[in-house]
């Protein structure tokens, strides 16, 4: 007799494994998080946040805006970006928040965005390379790059390098690259950049891209020594966002089920 979904969901194995998974995830939270904890004023600072229309990026942008920074929301969708812009301006009371469009998976788009930013912004104090995607289907971009690598690594790498002189001349400044704890399961193989020798199983490709984030950031930090510009990569914790949008409904269902244990990006906390 074929197994029904309801049989699986009601089985003790399912319930126990869900609870164990939840506890593992909960152990990553390291205490509760107060979104108002950082009191450092950012007046006079200019910050660029990529992927700022939703999830972690939107929360970061709101936090910077609330603390008085001039904030550039670097988003690829005008509609989604405009909604976020309106919401962030309203919630923070800061009108110095602006939307600029960029698709970080496209080298041309990153070049156009950087050129416009260098024209408009005399100083850049904070760059957060947050835009990223997990579980993207197999694909090669117009530049001949594997799409996850283009989005998560090559685009942010190019963007940072194009803005680097301006960031250095604005020091003290900082560059923050949003990686993932999953980087420890990644491998370095430069043929991956062109879609070769990759296995598209769950988040395997994502893991490789996030390892590149860490390695590149470490080298950048080393090269920036003595410039008063810092470069750091981080794992944000497990956060309930749209990050699982490219996975099957089963995986998204599981993610939502154990979501109780995750951080939530609730803007209304402000
Ligand atoms: N959530 C987690 O538990 C978790 C854990 C570890 C690391 N991270 C990392 O945290 C970062 C933010 O993820 P999230 O959880 O906030 O995910 P999310 O809710 O899916 O947000 C991702 C953001 O990146 C943007 N983006 C994706 N591809 C882009 C492209 N080609 N050009 C420009 N923007 C693009 C998205 O724009 P659209 O809305 O237009 O697609 C969206 O604004 C990612 O780098 C992710 O790898 C997240």
């Amino acid at each position: 007799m074929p197994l029904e979904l309801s049989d699986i969901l009601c089985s003790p194995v399912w319930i126990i494994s869900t609870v164990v998974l939840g506890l593992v995830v909960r152990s990553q939270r390291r205490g509760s998080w107060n979104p108002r904890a950082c009191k450092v004023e950012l007046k006079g600072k200019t910050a660029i946040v990529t992927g700022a229309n939703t999830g972690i990026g939107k929360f970061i942008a709101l936090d910077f805006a609330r603390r008085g920074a001039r904030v550039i929301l670097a988003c690829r969708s005008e509609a989604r970006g405009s909604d976020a812009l309106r919401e962030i301006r309203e919630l923070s009371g800061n009108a110095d928040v602006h939307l600029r469009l960029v698709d970080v998976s496209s080298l041309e788009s990153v070049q156009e965005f950087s050129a416009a930013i260098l024209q408009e912004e005399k100083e850049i104090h904070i760059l957060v390379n947050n835009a990223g995607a997990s579980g993207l289907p197999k694909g090669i971009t117009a530049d001949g790059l594997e799409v996850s690598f283009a989005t998560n690594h090559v685009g942010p790498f190019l963007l940072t390098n194009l803005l680097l002189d301006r960031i250095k001349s604005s020091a003290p400044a900082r560059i923050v690259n949003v990686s993932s704890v999953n980087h420890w399961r990644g491998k370095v193989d430069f043929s991956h950049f062109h879609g070769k020798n990759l296995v598209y199983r769950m988040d395997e490709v994502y893991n490789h891209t996030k390892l590149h984030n860490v390695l590149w950031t470490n080298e950048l930090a080393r090269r920036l020594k003595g410039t008063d510009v810092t470069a750091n990569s981080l794992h944000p914790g497990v956060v309930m966002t749209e990050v699982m949008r490219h996975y099957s409904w089963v995986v998204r269902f599981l993610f939502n089920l154990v979501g109780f244990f995750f951080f939530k990006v609730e803007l209304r906390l402000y």
Side-chain angles (χ1 to χ4, degrees):
M1 203 172 67
L3 211 55
E4 295 284 330
L5 184 62
S6 56
D7 296 333
I8 301 171
L9 296 182
C10 294
S11 81
V13 176
W14 167 264
I15 292 166
I16 291 166
S17 46
T18 304
V19 170
V20 170
L21 178 60
L23 290 173
V24 169
V25 170
R26 178 68 181 81
S27 69
Q28 286 201 41
R29 281 187 62 164
R30 297 192 189 95
S32 60
W33 179 52
N34 174 6
R36 281 188 175 276
C38 187
K39 305 277 184 220
V40 179
E41 282 294 314
L42 294 176
K43 280 203 174 61
K45 303 287 182 192
T46 298
I48 300 174
V49 183
T50 66
N53 58 281
T54 187
I56 296 167
K58 187 174 170 186
F59 204 89
I60 295 170
L62 172 63
D63 181 59
F64 289 168
R66 183 179 62 75
R67 294 197 271 141
R70 171 177 171 78
V71 186
I72 312 296
L73 312 180
C75 304
R76 66 174 158 180
S77 154
E78 185 149 23
R80 282 160 70 81
S82 301
D83 287 347
L85 177 68
R86 202 173 317 110
E87 198 178 349
I88 291 171
R89 279 184 176 169
E90 255 174 48
L91 285 167
S92 67
N94 182 348
D96 200 8
V97 182
H98 309 274
L99 172 65
R100 297 289 177 267
L101 297 181
V102 61
D103 177 346
V104 295
S105 71
S106 155
L107 301 186
E108 189 184 356
S109 176
V110 170
Q111 279 164 334
E112 282 172 8
F113 171 82
S114 308
I117 290 290
L118 291 175
Q119 282 276 326
E120 292 168 10
E121 307 300 333
K122 296 295 157 244
E123 294 191 303
I124 303 167
H125 304 97
I126 304 170
L127 170 63
V128 184
N129 284 306
N130 161 78
S134 180
L136 283 177
K138 206 171 181 170
I140 300 289
T141 68
D143 303 301
L145 294 165
E146 196 285 331
V147 68
S148 294
F149 273 83
T151 307
N152 295 349
H153 178 60
V154 183
F157 176 86
L158 177 64
L159 176 65
T160 304
N161 280 289
L162 291 174
L163 300 182
L164 198 55
D165 284 343
R166 185 63 48 86
I167 295 172
K168 280 185 189 167
S169 65
S170 313
R174 59 177 57 203
I175 297 161
V176 178
N177 295 328
V178 182
S179 178
S180 167
V181 70
N182 283 20
H183 77 271
W184 69 267
R185 290 194 282 129
K187 289 193 174 64
V188 172
D189 175 342
F190 290 109
S191 72
H192 288 167
F193 280 59
H194 299 287
K196 308 255 167 58
N197 305 313
L198 281 168
V199 178
Y200 286 80
R201 190 170 47 213
M202 273 298 283
D203 52 3
E204 215 166 305
V205 181
Y206 175 77
N207 300 340
H208 302 321
T209 66
K210 291 292 166 179
L211 175 61
H212 280 278
N213 289 165
V214 174
L215 297 176
W216 156 52
T217 311
N218 289 351
E219 176 58 17
L220 180 63
R222 194 186 65 79
R223 291 184 188 202
L224 286 171
K225 267 203 183 109
T227 63
D228 217 2
V229 179
T230 59
N232 290 284
S233 61
L234 62 90
H235 167 60
V238 182
V239 191
M240 284 300 285
T241 63
E242 297 176 37
V243 73
M244 302 306 282
R245 64 176 109 166
H246 299 291
Y247 289 90
S248 70
W249 73 267
V250 182
V251 177
R252 279 184 279 124
F253 176 76
L254 279 172
F255 189 66
N256 286 322
L257 202 66
V258 291
F260 169 74
F261 299 94
F262 297 166
F263 284 128
K264 295 189 173 53
V265 277
E266 292 189 52
L267 300 194
R268 65 183 168 74
L269 284 173
Y270 280 84

